[in-house]
Amino acid sequence: MFSHSTKSIIFAGFALFAMFFGAGNLILPAMIGVEAGGYAYPAVFGFVLTGAVLTVAGMIAAGSLNPGETRLADRVGPRFGLIFTTVLFVATAMLYPTPRVAAVSFEMAAVPIVGSGHLQLFFYTVVFFGICYVLVRQPAKIIERIGGFLTPVLIVLLIVLVVASYTLPDLNHEPIERYVHAPIANGLIEGYFTMDSLATLMYGPVIVGALAAAGFSGAKLRRGMAGASILAGSLLAACYIGLVHLGAVGNGANGAVVVTSVSHELFGRTGQLVFGLIIFLACLTTALGLLASSSDYFHKLFPKISQHTWLLIHLAVVFPLSNLGLETILSLVAPLNQLLYPITISIIVVALLDMALPKSRTLVWSYRLGTYTAVVLAIPEALNSTGIRAFAPLRTVLDLFPMGHLQMAWVVPTLLAIIIGLLYDLAGDRARRTVEA
């Protein structure tokens, strides 16, 4: 029915969706449905822009590597590219998201059934990471396993939950003030906290490798990458729009409570099991993507150490961290996201500009000025987010910038720096062509 190439793109797209779709992607849209009330759909439009559209853009940019390039961040400078990309992998695959998804899935899927406690968390993480080890052990099959089996099951469960929610009455929630005044802008900011754009620089090589193994190369590989990314982004957007309705018919102090209550109201005890399975699959597929991509990266960086050994090293780090509990994990390493996210977005934006310009153009200062500006403003934002009293005065300075009060003081200065760098690069190209003529 489908050609081999089409099947490969579909499997890759499904796998990408599942690797991006973690617990936060499930509960944040549901909470928008509660807090935004009648403004929920304008708000989710903003959420889709950062939670899906920006993610697709990041994947397409990550697939634009030229022959001989190993890291997109190397375009800023080889030393910067090595340091930044390595820190990105350590932070996301070892220190934060991987332990977080294990802890989140325990809190949301297992605790209602087995109860909370250190012993329960220990045995749960043994099982969780044991499954990860088995599935990641053969990296060549990871895309097929996620895209061909785990993702369809996850999507079917989500469809059942969302469709069934339309049998419940709308609660007509009173919107909170920020959504009344700027629903799209605040939805956009909520999408920022999915942190999926960070993962695009990690997942890109995995998907490119899977498509290359399926026979894609050159322009066909770039088209296949774009197709898989758009499929994944479309699935993410559809899920976000559907999940907002769960918030419209449910209630709770946070998105997890909202989705749990709706599941229980619709299906009773079975609903709790369905919700638990959705959470488990969403967190498992995210962990698989992070562990597979990171162990592959470090094996290529240090080829004398096997990929299997790197996988064991990753598990040796994430297992004890996940047993610290969710709140401890968030308080210890969340500031890393405030540091890495602005830098990642700056690189993605310039990479997309790079793809749109003729190959004869060379962008140097666009990458450097944009990225270094993001670094300068991301560092104080990350320090302030630690909650350490000595860094509290930084908030006053950051709030002087546009969008500073939203913890996004880096946005406008970085965009201006990219524009200045782009003008300088284009002027340099024109001057060089004039001399050559």
Side-chain angles (χ1 to χ4, degrees), residues 106-142:
F106 171 74
E107 294 283 350
M108 298 173 65
V111 168
I113 298 172
V114 303
S116 61
H118 293 296
L119 190 61
Q120 290 95 322
L121 175 60
F122 175 83
F123 282 112
Y124 177 84
T125 49
V126 167
V127 173
F128 185 89
F129 288 120
I131 294 172
C132 287
Y133 172 79
V134 171
L135 294 179
V136 179
R137 185 68 181 86
Q138 295 177 293
K141 296 183 178 180
I142 192 70

Side-chain angles (χ1 to χ4, degrees), residues 4-41:
H4 174 69
S5 295
T6 303
K7 286 182 180 178
S8 298
I9 292 173
I10 291 173
F11 275 10
F14 274 19
L16 259 182
F17 161 78
M19 289 189 287
F20 282 124
F21 193 86
N25 306 72
L26 176 67
I27 62 181
L28 287 172
M31 202 60 200
I32 287 177
V34 174
E35 295 183 339
Y39 299 90
Y41 287 102

Side-chain angles (χ1 to χ4, degrees), residues 274-288:
V274 170
F275 172 69
L277 186 56
I278 291 173
I279 287 293
F280 179 78
L281 286 175
C283 291
L284 177 65
T285 51
T286 298
L288 290 174

Side-chain angles (χ1 to χ4, degrees), residues 24 26 171 331:
L26 176 67
L171 298 182
S331 63

Side-chain angles (χ1 to χ4, degrees), residues 87 163 179 213 216 221 387 417:
V87 170
V163 170
Y179 282 111
F216 289 75
L221 176 59

